[in-house]
């Protein structure tokens, strides 16, 4: 991925943060330390504003987003989406497959868009599909796709989701390491682990395997009071995620790259609010 040029302010903030981290471990990350290091995006299907793809990309650019991430099978004209990206200068940084089915086709879509990654979900464990069987089968499918992804220079990134699989960061690290490829990594979703763990622990355990981030929130209080899935019904920054701890963990592993909102979408006002909340919790 091409690196964005840092402004003087971002450079000074990053330099100051490095000094703080070196001399005062555990004291936190300086404000603005991730400016120019973390690039802010949204999932394309979050956009509920009417208009052409070009008009939607233009709006995201005006709201301060650095990129966008569609599904690989998004019901749009891919050429029109590519042209909107080129005209606005808003990158399509990745595509979401959401499974391990037909990975090469998703890689081809990523290549068309100039994207650097395909987001994968490693199957699902249930009463009809055992943990061991899912582990073996999904690894094999990904392994078979690696040579093509490597040839096209597209990363295959496995996301932690509620699929009853890869339930600890150490297991996820092992799963990824066993694939033995620099083109395989983790797409870490901050909010998805909160009901049973702490995101900062996962971040430090996965370390440099994390190539991209999904940003969402989760409330343990709403989970306990209203039900499991209601935990997601909270705006970024208003739930149980300790964002300071998350920032410290990201700083510890030296994370740079994309952070993509994956929350309820909406119109321009809603997307502006999401952008502002991401700026706040990530200190952008």
């Amino acid at each position: 991925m091409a690196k964005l040029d840092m402004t003087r302010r971002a450079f000074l903030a990053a330099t100051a943060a490095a000094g703080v981290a070196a001399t005062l471990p555990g004291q936190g990350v300086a404000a603005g330390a991730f400016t120019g290091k973390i690039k802010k995006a949204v999932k394309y299907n979050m956009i509920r504003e009417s208009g052409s793809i070009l008009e939607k990309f233009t709006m995201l650019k005006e709201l301060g987003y650095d990129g966008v991430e569609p599904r690989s099978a998004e019901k749009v004209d891919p050429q029109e989406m590519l042209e909107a990206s080129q005209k606005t200068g808003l990158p399509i940084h990745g595509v979401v497959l959401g499974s391990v089915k037909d990975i090469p086709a998703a890689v081809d879509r990523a290549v068309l868009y100039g994207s650097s990654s395909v987001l994968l979900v490693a199957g699902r464990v249930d009463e009809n599909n055992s943990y061991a069987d899912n582990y073996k089968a999904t690894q094999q499918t990904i392994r078979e796709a690696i040579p093509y992804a490597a040839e096209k220079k597209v990363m295959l990134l496995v996301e932690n989701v509620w699929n009853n699989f890869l339930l600890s960061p150490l297991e996820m690290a092992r799963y990824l390491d066993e694939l033995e490829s620099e083109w395989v990594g983790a797409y870490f979703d901050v909010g998805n682990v909160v009901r049973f763990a702490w995101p900062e622990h996962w971040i430090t355990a996965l370390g440099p395997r994390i190539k991209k981030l999904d940003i969402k929130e989760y409330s343990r209080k709403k989970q306990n009071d209203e039900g499991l899935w209601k935990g997601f019904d909270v705006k970024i920054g208003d739930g149980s995620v300790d964002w300071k701890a998350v920032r410290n963990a990201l700083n510890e592993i030296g994370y740079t790259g994309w952070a993509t909102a994956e929350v309820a979408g909406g119109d321009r006002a809603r997307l502006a609010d999401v952008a502002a909340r991401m700026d706040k919790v990530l200190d952008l």
Side-chain angles (χ1 to χ4, degrees), residues 1 41-42 44 53 57 66-71 76-86 88-96 109-117 212 258:
M1 294 181 291
V42 293
Y44 181 77
I53 298 176
F57 273 52
D66 303 302
V68 66
E69 187 178 37
R71 294 170 294 186
V76 297
D77 180 346
Q79 193 61 42
E80 184 181 354
M81 181 165 279
L82 174 61
E83 290 174 0
S85 174
Q86 292 171 336
T88 58
L90 191 77
I92 303 169
H93 77 81
V95 297
V96 177
R109 182 60 61 93
V111 171
L112 173 66
Y113 289 152
S115 305
S116 62
S117 65
K212 293 188 178 181
W258 290 98

Side-chain angles (χ1 to χ4, degrees), residues 177-193:
D177 290 348
E178 288 173 350
L179 290 167
E180 299 180 310
S181 175
E182 63 180 316
W183 296 99
V184 173
Y187 202 126
F188 181 64
D189 188 305
V190 174
N192 277 351
V193 302

Side-chain angles (χ1 to χ4, degrees), residues 124 162 192 218 222-223 226-233:
R124 181 176 181 81
W162 286 16
N192 277 351
Y218 191 82
K222 290 182 74 69
Q223 171 194 340
E226 302 176 35
L228 192 63
W229 288 94
K230 288 294 185 179
F232 288 120
D233 190 17

Side-chain angles (χ1 to χ4, degrees), residues 39-58:
K39 292 171 282 188
K40 179 177 58 186
V42 293
K43 306 294 184 186
Y44 181 77
N45 63 6
M46 287 173 54
I47 306 170
R48 298 288 185 265
E49 194 81 19
S50 61
S52 66
I53 298 176
L54 177 59
E55 290 170 333
K56 292 175 180 178
F57 273 52
T58 300

Side-chain angles (χ1 to χ4, degrees), residues 18-35:
V20 169
T23 59
L24 296 172
Q27 297 302 307
V29 183
F34 290 111
T35 303

